Amino acid sequence: MLIATINSSIVLIALPDIFKGIAINPLDPANTGYLLWMIMGFLVVTAVLVVSFGRLGDMYGRARMYNLGFAIFTFSSVMLAITWFDGDAAALWLIGWRVVQGVGGAFLMANSSAILADAFPVTQRGMALGINGVAAIAGSFLGLVIGGLLAPVNWNLVFVVSVPFGLFGTVWAYLKLHDTGERRHAEMDWWGNVTFAAGLIAVLVGITYGIQPHGTSQTGWTSPLVLTCLLGGALVLAAFVVIEHRVPNPLFDLHLFRLRSFTWGNIANFTSALGRGGLQFILIIWLQGIWLPLHGYSYEETPLWAGIYMLPMTVGFLLAAPAAGILSDRLGSRMLACTGNLVAAATFALLIALPVDFPYWAFALILVFTGIGMGMFSSPNRAEVMNSLPANARGSGSGMMTTFQNTAMVLSIGFFFSLIIVGFSQSLPGAMRTGLVEHGVSPSAAAQVASLPAVAVLFAAFLGYNPIQQLLGDQLATLPPDQAAFLTGRGFFPSLISGPFAQGLAIAFGFAIVLCLVSAAASLLCGKPVDRRARMPVWKRNA
């Protein structure tokens, strides 16, 4: 799990060096699709496939499917590392093998929780799942630092680093992991698999392209492609639900939603992931586009230092997740998960109140408590859901939970970016036009730059490029040297976007606070599943 999540974030921080290495400008409108799929492809694939792979684990053995996932993951890492060409072909090659890597990651994510639930008794599952959660979150932040260190040396190294761990893990898992859970042999629900995959892919593709501008709009939510994907995907998913009610061995065992803890636990998991999924992206933009340049860091240095300065969140999670897992084994999970969400909501409110040019100690302290809130929620929530499942449905149930979580992460990234863009678009064009004209840029050129989509500014900051240098391009050569140096210096752009960014931040984090509160309420509604016709728990009666 550590290796899988390191790979999901290591590419984020290494994107500037990867695109430089393959000689592609990701800010060119023609190449925006490459950028989006390098960011989102891994998440989309894992969201779509984890349920199917969890079901395969229930049928053919979870350890066997886990081992297969490790092998696929390792092979795809090798293929990514040996990319020797550049241009469009290299971009498509990398995206394609990232998709294959996501297939391997889906095998790992779908079966890891089920293997742990099989291996540990109810009284220790919270601890085991808490440690697994620590690996997942720690990997997502360690990937930022590792990518920041390796990519400037050689971008291929961000993929090479996974290979020895993958080889060791594949052999170790084959030798040491053994199936201890119940297998349930059944026919594969092919219609369910096809409609679920097609519907969810369409929805997630629509969300991915909703971030891009369309016509005169700053976002693409009204474009025919996005609307077709979203509406068509929703219709196909509705057909999937109908199919699942009629086939003898459904991919989504909808009867599991009779289990109170499974239903409310997944609602809590989905809303929590929706509220915090885009947090990492927003914090990276905040640090790379504003805070780090204002504090003397060059734009080329900002990706690495953004990862380092975000480590306090990992520390908070490392402290809270195992402790919360152990406490949930002894005290139950409802209050712990609820409290974790309330802590997370409070930290979002504090981030809104924090000045854009903040004192770092305050930012770091808030990040520590953000990690604590996430850890207090994640381990008890996963233990609650896994403990509610019958032994022969743990693989598919774990896959369903991971699907909800990964889907919410993609949704969250789309929503957070869109909400930030809404905040940007209200005041950024006017501020940029005025600022550029004041420093020697012609009114026509300033108006042209100010009319560029806000997402271009966000992506430039996210990638660690000098945004004004990218936006002005050849116009810089027409300016006096001192004015050109000032515009491309470390102070102009961060000061320019600080006000619009604060507006977008307040909208996005206000949305996150509401979702954390909904997740807290759902966590309180978890409990032992009891049928109205009898006091015997539903999972015992079904088993």
Side-chain angles (χ1 to χ4, degrees), residues 202-461:
V203 170
L204 296 181
V205 168
I207 293 165
T208 300
Y209 284 99
I211 300 171
Q212 293 194 66
H214 172 68
T216 58
S217 176
Q218 293 283 349
T219 59
W221 295 106
T222 58
S223 76
L225 171 64
V226 171
L227 291 175
T228 300
C229 287
L230 294 177
L231 295 175
L235 290 174
V236 174
L237 289 175
F240 164 74
V241 173
V242 174
I243 290 170
E244 297 305 275
H245 276 105
R246 299 189 176 186
V247 295
N249 297 293
L251 173 67
F252 259 57
D253 187 353
L254 299 179
H255 293 92
L256 293 177
F257 289 103
R258 294 177 182 173
L259 308 175
R260 182 173 177 176
S261 287
F262 184 80
T263 299
W264 288 107
N266 273 302
I267 291 173
N269 177 51
F270 180 84
T271 51
S272 175
L274 190 59
R276 59 180 168 78
L279 176 63
Q280 189 179 65
F281 287 85
I282 301 305
L283 293 181
I284 288 174
I285 291 170
W286 192 348
L287 288 169
Q288 292 186 187
I290 300 175
W291 194 86
L292 287 168
L294 285 177
H295 288 260
Y297 294 87
S298 68
Y299 285 101
E300 292 76 18
E301 296 176 301
T302 56
L304 170 61
W305 285 101
I308 292 172
Y309 278 123
M310 286 171 61
L311 285 177
M313 189 184 298
T314 307
V315 172
F317 192 90
L318 291 174
L319 292 172
I326 293 169
L327 287 173
S328 71
D329 291 333
R330 299 178 181 178
L331 306 175
S333 64
R334 295 166 62 229
M335 290 306 300
L336 281 167
C338 175
T339 304
N341 276 307
L342 294 177
V343 171
T347 60
F348 279 118
L350 291 172
L351 286 171
I352 293 174
L354 200 65
V356 174
D357 186 13
F358 48 78
Y360 180 70
W361 66 265
F363 182 74
L365 192 61
I366 294 172
L367 289 190
V368 169
F369 279 98
T370 302
I372 289 173
M374 292 164 59
M376 288 181 68
F377 168 77
S378 64
S379 301
N381 172 260
R382 188 162 284 272
E384 180 77 25
V385 172
M386 295 305 297
N387 285 338
S388 72
L389 292 168
N392 60 7
R394 284 176 185 153
S396 58
S398 174
M400 291 163 72
M401 187 178 190
T402 306
T403 291
F404 292 134
Q405 179 173 308
N406 288 1
T407 301
M409 296 282 280
V410 178
L411 279 167
S412 182
I413 293 167
F415 288 164
F416 268 55
F417 266 105
S418 297
L419 291 171
I420 290 286
I421 289 168
V422 168
F424 259 39
S425 60
Q426 293 175 359
S427 55
L428 180 62
M432 182 171 287
R433 186 184 306 110
T434 302
L436 292 175
V437 170
E438 287 177 352
H439 293 281
V441 179
S442 67
S444 59
Q448 183 180 1
V449 171
S451 66
L452 291 173
V455 71
V457 178
L458 283 180
F459 281 156

